Amino acid sequence: MEPIKKHDKRILDNAPFGQLGLITVSGCEEMGREIDVYLQDWRAERQHEHEDSPAFAGYLRPTYIIDTKEPRFGTGEGKGVVSQSVRGMDLYILVDVVNYNETYRMFGFDNHMSPDDHFANLKRVIAAVGGKARRITVIMPYLYESLQSKRTARESLDCAIALQELVRMGVDNIITFDAHDPRVQNAIPLNGFDTVQPAYQFIKGLLKSVDDLTIDSDHMLIISPDEGGMKRAVYFANVLGLDMGMFYKRRDYTRIVKGTNPIVAFEFLGSSVKGKDMVVIDDMVASGDSALEVAQALKKRGAKRVFFFATFGLFTDGLDKFDKAFKNGIFDRIYTTNLNYQPQELLDRPWHYSCDMSKFLAYIIDTLNHDSSISDLLIPSERIWNIVAKYNKKKRGDDIDED
């Protein structure tokens, strides 16, 4: 974790909505501790005119993490336990539904937790709160069942059902990152739902790790790997002043492989990529097959370097294929965030760069607790322009200290 710096970027004059409480569902403890350190440091140095009023009671505490557990019985059944009072609190519950590293004992053997298990633990914690909190915000970076967000046949709409279930349990707001299809929020139109893009963190990571970029339309191109990711690519292209291209996938709709129709071919729409650096932007890298095919297609067209931005690096089929592709010069680096579990073997790969999101999450939690706007966090255009201007001036990513 980077050193704590003075909290001089946000002015929060509003009284807090309620005493702040942070709950980390099993699998998010490390991220929760990092967020907690930022909150402690910022609140210790911040001064409020009315800090002695009852509205600021409990504002300064040695930790904002609420002691909770989700123990399991021998059958695999479980329960949620909150070990301290949360009455009147403004609670933020952090959950990583794709943390497959978490295990529990079931009938004498270790069982790896699935997204269903993590979502059940989230509901158990909410149920244990028992309606005593003043407000509940769920921070679920990878949106549970987001791949099943629309109906194309007689099939379940799992993501919409999950969101409605959380709302019925008393959740007021849901914050997620780079939702696969943001339109799923239509399932809960009267409740808060924010999907955030880590655009600034990706650009900051790229500029820190590559020191010879030329950020203009003659030397760099933004790529959307499919038609569904166009909105992400358009934002990056506009804020950086670059052109963009897009691949679209031709699929075989007569077959289903691993839950989806297999891709027959990639077709490219856009200007020439020859001699340019490519930045391919997507919400996730799952198996990685389509990502590597896009990279290979760009290299065949003469691309200079290929960088990937993917909010969630899942790597569901392992890392070997990426090692081989990197060795063969198919791509140059993959940037992902620590919003989901990252094994040490991934962090050790020379082709991988992890963008830390703990400070950004702390900003969101601290701001919302003060009932202030997070618009500038959701749309970080100005911060991106500033960091690019500094990079262009110094041409050294290591000199960048913008936060």
Side-chain angles (χ1 to χ4, degrees), residues 169-334:
M169 293 186 72
V171 173
D172 299 281
N173 302 293
I174 296 170
I175 297 174
T176 189
F177 281 77
D178 223 344
H180 193 67
D181 188 347
R183 291 173 296 182
V184 74
Q185 66 187 288
N186 293 337
I188 51 170
L190 301 181
N191 291 80
F193 182 97
D194 288 299
T195 177
V196 187
Q197 286 191 20
Y200 171 75
Q201 287 77 14
F202 278 141
I203 293 173
K204 179 180 177 182
L206 178 65
L207 299 187
K208 273 192 168 184
S209 58
V210 183
D211 59 11
D212 61 345
L213 295 169
T214 302
I215 306 173
D216 61 38
S217 57
D218 293 328
H219 298 86
M220 184 176 286
L221 197 65
I222 301 295
I223 301 294
S224 173
D226 53 41
E227 59 275 19
M230 281 288 290
K231 187 174 181 181
R232 300 182 194 94
V234 166
Y235 176 78
F236 276 88
N238 285 341
V239 79
L240 293 175
L242 304 177
D243 294 332
M244 64 163 289
M246 183 198 81
F247 283 88
Y248 70 91
K249 303 171 183 175
R250 287 199 287 116
R251 295 181 178 271
D252 181 358
Y253 286 99
T254 65
R255 297 186 297 136
I256 295 179
V257 179
K258 294 183 179 180
T260 187
N261 302 104
I263 299 169
V264 177
F266 284 88
E267 305 291 347
F268 181 69
L269 300 174
S271 58
S272 173
V273 306
K274 190 171 183 179
K276 299 179 182 178
D277 289 328
M278 303 290 106
V279 179
V280 184
I281 299 166
D282 209 352
D283 59 336
M284 68 180 74
V285 173
S287 68
D289 291 337
S290 60
L292 294 179
E293 286 189 41
V294 164
Q296 195 164 24
L298 290 171
K299 285 288 187 176
K300 285 182 178 179
R301 287 170 169 81
K304 180 182 177 184
R305 291 178 291 192
V306 177
F307 304 104
F308 283 96
F309 291 169
T311 306
F312 304 104
L314 304 178
F315 303 100
T316 55
D317 287 350
L319 305 177
D320 291 344
K321 68 177 72 174
F322 293 92
D323 292 335
K324 183 178 179 180
F326 177 70
K327 183 178 179 180
N328 293 334
I330 301 302
F331 73 96
D332 293 85
R333 186 158 290 181
I334 297 178

Side-chain angles (χ1 to χ4, degrees), residues 374-394:
I374 59 171
S375 295
D376 61 319
L377 295 173
L378 301 182
I379 307 175
S381 304
E382 186 174 349
R383 289 196 296 160
I384 292 173
W385 294 330
N386 290 339
I387 198 173
V388 170
K390 182 177 290 189
Y391 179 85
N392 287 335
K393 182 178 179 181
K394 298 182 178 179

Side-chain angles (χ1 to χ4, degrees), residues 60-126:
L60 296 178
R61 302 205 306 275
T63 181
Y64 297 95
I65 296 177
I66 305 299
D67 184 18
T68 59
K69 295 180 177 62
E70 304 91 45
R72 295 273 179 162
F73 301 104
T75 59
E77 298 166 290
K79 63 180 178 180
V81 180
V82 178
S83 303
Q84 63 191 85
S85 174
V86 294
R87 186 178 296 276
M89 278 192 169
D90 186 18
L91 290 183
Y92 295 82
I93 306 178
L94 183 64
V95 60
D96 176 10
V97 299
V98 286
N99 187 344
Y100 60 89
N101 190 54
E102 290 293 302
T103 62
Y104 60 90
R105 297 290 289 178
M106 177 178 173
F107 290 98
F109 62 88
D110 289 328
N111 190 47
H112 285 266
M113 292 183 67
S114 70
D116 292 343
D117 289 318
H118 285 291
F119 188 69
N121 274 351
L122 169 64
K123 292 190 293 182
R124 290 180 178 117
V125 169
I126 296 171

